[in-house]
Amino acid sequence: MKAGFVNIFGKPNAGKSTLLNALVGEKMAIVSSKVQTTRHRIKAFLNKPGEYQVIFSDTPGIIDPKYKLHQRMMAAVKSALEDADIALLIVDANDNFEECDAIFQSLKLSIPCLLVLNKIDAAANGKIAEAEAFFGQRPYYKKIVKIGALQKIHLDKLLNAILSLLPESAPFYDEDDLSDLPTKFFVAELIREKIYELFGDEIPYHTAVMVNEFKEKDTLVKIQADIIVQRETQKAIIIGDKGKMIRQIGTSARKDIEAFIGQKVFLELFVKVRPKWRDNEMQLNEYGYK
């Protein structure tokens, strides 16, 4: 039996969340084309009873912190560095390789690492060969694996490479579990994903979601959640003309939540203004950024 922690590191938008979802076969991390979508460390388990338990961790993209929220995000990266058995260093095939290299060098990893070259299906001409030449002499990884996470290209090769490095161990978690995070966490994330999908570049980064009520009834699950914003003008944008936008968020999120929990959902959303919440220690704790 093999079991261990396999943690995914890289720049924002390298495809970490897409890779996590593709590897475990479930939507465990929200995905957006916008950078810095992932704010938490999200663990997801890939189990083959009697053979292996791979505990994957998606981590926030590595950035220079500007707010206390960003500091909490980078603390999540640090915690993932501390317990990893294997690191997946993910690189967008079209990205700046020198910037990626600088990040990986700064991690000062002493564990086995795999360099994962992602988005090979969308790579510009010559970029794959350029990446192999650039990273070829780097000392911090055992093997380079070329994949397309969104299209699920070569994921079997990546999993085999992971299993070859995974230590022998008994499982750390129940083999029926998909994560150690509560359902309420994933509900809040699915609502937040819709805000990233429906609004421009500024609004999503000023919002948080807090699930206040999650009640399982005979025929459905009743969920009440607050969307937190920083200013009254943002509240008006989230609500929209005659409530159009918040209804759209609710309808879209409810469908995904129902698919995730396998039950009918009644979803009620409110918008609340909390000025400068991203720099408020108490509010960050309240919204789950610990």
Side-chain angles (χ1 to χ4, degrees):
M1 180 80 193
K2 288 189 164 194
F5 294 81
V6 178
N7 301 344
I8 308 169
F9 302 97
K11 284 177 65 180
N13 245 10
K16 296 181 295 297
S17 298
T18 302
L19 176 59
L20 179 85
N21 293 339
L23 284 165
V24 300
E26 297 281 349
K27 185 171 183 176
M28 306 299 288
I30 65 173
V31 176
S32 164
S33 59
K34 296 179 174 69
V35 299
Q36 295 170 34
T37 305
T38 301
R39 291 178 179 170
H40 300 266
R41 178 184 178 185
I42 299 170
K43 289 183 195 166
F45 312 149
L46 180 63
N47 292 302
K48 190 167 184 182
E51 291 190 35
Y52 58 78
Q53 179 179 77
V54 188
I55 303 150
F56 290 106
S57 281
D58 183 18
T59 61
I62 297 167
I63 55 169
D64 186 21
K66 294 179 182 175
Y67 303 97
K68 285 193 171 82
L69 170 63
H70 290 164
Q71 291 170 11
R72 301 284 178 100
M73 289 161 63
M74 292 306 97
V77 174
K78 186 173 183 292
S79 77
L81 283 169
E82 289 168 354
D83 68 15
D85 293 300
I86 301 168
L88 303 185
L89 308 177
I90 187 166
V91 177
D92 180 336
N94 288 309
D95 209 340
N96 182 311
F97 301 144
E98 289 185 1
E99 289 178 5
C100 298
D101 178 51
I103 285 171
F104 300 150
Q105 302 250 29
S106 72
L107 294 176
K108 296 185 171 72
L109 291 159
S110 58
I111 54 170
C113 302
L114 295 170
L115 188 79
V116 182
L117 187 65
N118 190 26
K119 306 184 187 180
I120 59 169
D121 47 314
N125 234 1
K127 287 295 280 186
I128 295 172
E130 184 187 332
E132 289 180 310
F134 179 86
F135 288 105
Q137 304 305 312
R138 297 305 185 266
Y140 46 73
Y141 71 92
K142 297 270 187 187
K143 183 178 183 180
I144 187 166
V145 185
K146 296 168 282 187
I147 67 159
L150 188 61
Q151 305 300 332
K152 301 186 178 176
I153 299 167
H154 300 327
L155 292 187
D156 53 341
K157 290 183 180 177
L158 178 57
L159 181 58
N160 287 336
I162 291 166
L163 293 175
S164 72
L165 298 172
L166 205 66
E168 290 188 3
S169 170
F172 291 88
Y173 297 94
D174 190 303
E175 291 179 299
D176 290 329
D177 290 345
L178 281 174
S179 179
D180 62 345
L181 291 165
T183 303
K184 279 172 69 171
F185 169 83
F186 294 103
V187 167
E189 287 288 275
L190 289 170
I191 296 167
R192 195 165 65 87
E193 182 180 52
K194 301 311 162 193
I195 298 168
Y196 275 77
E197 286 177 3
L198 294 170
F199 295 92
D201 285 339
E202 180 190 355
I203 291 286
Y205 299 104
H206 291 253
T207 59
V209 176
M210 185 167 68
V211 176
N212 299 310
E213 184 180 5
F214 187 96
K215 284 188 179 171
E216 296 189 49
K217 299 182 176 290
D218 290 341
T219 56
L220 52 74
V221 177
K222 186 185 177 193
I223 299 170
Q224 189 276 308
D226 292 338
I227 297 172
I228 311 298
V229 295
Q230 298 205 117
R231 296 192 288 272
E232 289 290 342
T233 51
Q234 294 167 342
K235 178 177 178 178
I237 292 168
I238 292 281
I239 292 171
D241 184 35
K242 297 178 182 175
K244 177 186 174 184
M245 293 311 295
I246 196 157
R247 282 197 301 274
Q248 203 171 336
I249 295 167
T251 300
S252 188
R254 179 179 51 78
K255 289 176 183 172
D256 280 6
I257 294 165
E258 286 179 343
F260 184 76
I261 66 176
Q263 289 177 273
K264 282 283 184 190
V265 165
F266 173 78
L267 177 62
E268 191 173 27
L269 297 175
F270 297 104
V271 186
K272 294 189 176 175
V273 179
R274 297 289 183 267
K276 297 183 179 178
W277 69 264
R278 292 184 299 177
D279 263 326
N280 186 303
E281 298 277 5
M282 194 165 71
Q283 286 172 339
L284 285 169
N285 288 336
E286 186 183 358
Y287 307 149
Y289 300 105
K290 297 181 181 177

